[in-house]
Amino acid sequence: MLWVKAFHLVAVISWFAGLFYLPRLFVYHAASEDTISKERFKVMERKLYQGIMTPAAAVAILLGVWLMSFNPSYYMSSGWFHAKLVLVVVLFGYHHACGRLLKKFALDQNTRSPVFFRWFNEFPVLILIAIVILVIVRPF
């Protein structure tokens, strides 16, 4: 069980690293004006999303389900766990929103400002804080 938990945490950390970095790339991409920079950001964003973020999210979910299978009655009766699951679903929505924004950038159809992406970049931080508190403190 500890091995599964360790690799679950590695996957979650990898996923969050991408969720923090991709919107930061969007900030720089939205501010760029030359074609070379824009094309470079497109490659970086695509590789991050498809090569790191999405596989890390899938592994995190698979290992999370495996962890839950060790004691399903406990997890299904814990309020903190239900709240965590809601936040994970919200995080998947954010992940999907990043994918939609990536497609807009790939087609040179972004209409959002770098300031928007600076604020957009802060959202997963709030989710991370809430999930860590729920898992460690288990307030309910």
Side-chain angles (χ1 to χ4, degrees):
M1 180 173 144
L2 290 178
W3 283 102
V4 178
K5 188 182 287 188
F7 285 110
H8 174 68
L9 283 172
V10 168
V12 168
I13 290 166
S14 299
W15 185 24
F16 267 100
L19 290 171
F20 292 152
Y21 189 50
L22 184 61
R24 179 55 51 184
L25 289 175
F26 291 160
V27 170
Y28 302 136
H29 193 160
S32 67
E33 297 179 7
D34 62 291
T35 304
I36 293 172
S37 294
K38 289 179 181 184
E39 294 304 315
R40 183 177 302 123
F41 283 120
K42 288 177 189 180
V43 171
M44 292 169 68
E45 292 159 357
R46 179 182 48 78
K47 286 183 176 185
L48 178 60
Y49 188 81
Q50 294 176 354
I52 297 173
M53 285 173 60
T54 301
V59 171
I61 294 303
L62 290 172
L63 293 176
V65 169
W66 191 1
L67 279 171
M68 192 182 76
S69 75
F70 290 121
N71 194 352
S73 60
Y74 166 72
Y75 289 110
M76 288 293 129
S77 65
S78 300
W80 68 267
F81 185 72
H82 289 252
K84 177 192 171 190
L85 287 180
V86 167
L87 292 175
V88 169
V89 168
V90 169
L91 204 58
F92 265 102
Y94 183 84
H95 182 104
H96 181 68
C98 285
R100 285 193 328 264
L101 290 165
L102 181 137
K103 287 178 185 174
K104 285 190 176 197
F105 274 113
L107 297 171
D108 295 317
Q109 296 176 348
N110 174 54
T111 58
R112 309 245 186 208
S113 72
V115 173
F116 168 82
F117 291 111
R118 287 182 198 281
W119 285 104
F120 182 75
N121 191 41
E122 300 304 321
F123 184 74
V125 174
L126 301 174
I127 300 295
L128 176 63
I129 291 168
I131 288 174
V132 168
I133 289 170
L134 287 168
V135 171
I136 302 298
V137 177
R138 298 181 182 181
F140 48 89

